[in-house]
Amino acid sequence: MSWPPPVDAAASLRGIVEAFQPLLGRRLKAMTWLATSADTPDLVSDSLPDAVSFSGGVQLVFEGNEPLFLTWTRRYPYLLRPGREADDWSPHVLDRVQALTRSPWGGLEDCRLVAADIFSGSPLSDAGRGVVGVRCALVADDGAPARLWIGVGGDDGLREGDDLWVGLVDPPNVAELEHLTRLDDG
């Protein structure tokens, strides 16, 4: 067997597309960071940054849809994927932090998802064309745009990694990412 194992890039992309397509045009009602206990203190600090990295998952709740749980694949190379908390983590391992009640993240509440751009890491990376991140374009009732990134990586941005990177701003390595496709509600 070769190392790293081959990436099923088509399945990686298909899973993310199928997860985000039905959410287009819907309002974001809740976002929960599900973090391991070691990472939770950073997510509940008084001065929360506009980008965070932690081990665990992210749950997005859009009006009229089942919650979407995002985490990473369990084998290398680590890619972003939809899943189920009960299938991916042992019971009681993840703490829950309601992200939309915290500044500066609260501005996302009730914003409508208008597009999702899907990215892979560098074409030369071990992830090949597997999905490492999604940039959600949202819009508030007053027309103000908002952005939400969710991907695998760490403090240095999106890349193959066994942590999540979630941000309201572009990751530091955005220029290195490869845009795979755009989903929009138009």
Side-chain angles (χ1 to χ4, degrees), residues 20 23 25-32 58-64 68 99-100 105-113 136 138-139 146-148 150 168:
F20 276 90
L23 305 178
R26 304 291 185 144
R27 292 185 184 281
L28 181 62
K29 302 309 270 180
M31 178 170 60
T32 306
V58 174
Q59 182 175 282
L60 302 173
V61 179
F62 285 86
E63 66 181 353
L68 170 60
L100 298 185
W105 297 83
L108 297 176
E109 188 171 8
D110 285 323
C111 284
R112 190 171 53 86
L113 180 65
C136 299
L138 300 120
V139 66
R147 178 177 12 188
L148 171 65
I150 302 171
L168 301 171

Side-chain angles (χ1 to χ4, degrees), residues 86-171:
D87 295 340
D88 296 318
W89 293 91
S90 297
H92 315 294
V93 168
L94 300 178
D95 297 330
R96 288 175 154 55
V97 178
Q98 300 302 318
L100 298 185
T101 62
R102 314 207 31 88
S103 181
W105 297 83
L108 297 176
E109 188 171 8
D110 285 323
C111 284
R112 190 171 53 86
L113 180 65
V114 295
D117 289 286
I118 303 171
F119 293 85
S120 72
S122 162
L124 302 176
S125 72
D126 293 337
R129 295 175 58 85
V131 175
V132 298
V134 177
R135 179 180 59 207
C136 299
L138 300 120
V139 66
D141 284 340
D142 65 2
R147 178 177 12 188
L148 171 65
W149 281 86
I150 302 171
V152 292
D155 291 335
D156 57 346
L158 300 183
R159 57 173 166 66
E160 306 82 44
D162 63 352
D163 278 334
L164 291 177
W165 190 94
V166 184
L168 301 171
V169 296
D170 288 342

Side-chain angles (χ1 to χ4, degrees), residues 27-62:
R27 292 185 184 281
L28 181 62
K29 302 309 270 180
M31 178 170 60
T32 306
W33 296 323
L34 295 100
T36 59
S37 295
D39 290 335
T40 301
D42 292 336
L43 300 177
V44 296
S45 70
D46 288 338
S47 57
L48 194 63
D50 53 12
V52 294
S53 182
F54 58 92
S55 292
V58 174
Q59 182 175 282
L60 302 173
V61 179
F62 285 86

Side-chain angles (χ1 to χ4, degrees), residues 7-20 70-82 116-123 125-136 149-153 158-164 177-183:
V7 172
D8 187 346
S12 173
L13 178 60
R14 186 173 47 255
I16 294 294
V17 167
E18 289 173 356
F20 276 90
L70 297 166
T71 191
W72 61 85
T73 53
R74 288 292 176 237
R75 66 175 179 81
Y76 186 84
Y78 304 110
L79 302 172
L80 185 66
R81 70 173 186 80
D117 289 286
I118 303 171
F119 293 85
S120 72
S122 162
S125 72
D126 293 337
R129 295 175 58 85
V131 175
V132 298
V134 177
R135 179 180 59 207
C136 299
W149 281 86
I150 302 171
V152 292
L158 300 183
R159 57 173 166 66
E160 306 82 44
D162 63 352
D163 278 334
L164 291 177
L177 301 176
E178 180 183 4
H179 186 259
L180 296 177
T181 193
R182 178 178 181 89
L183 309 173

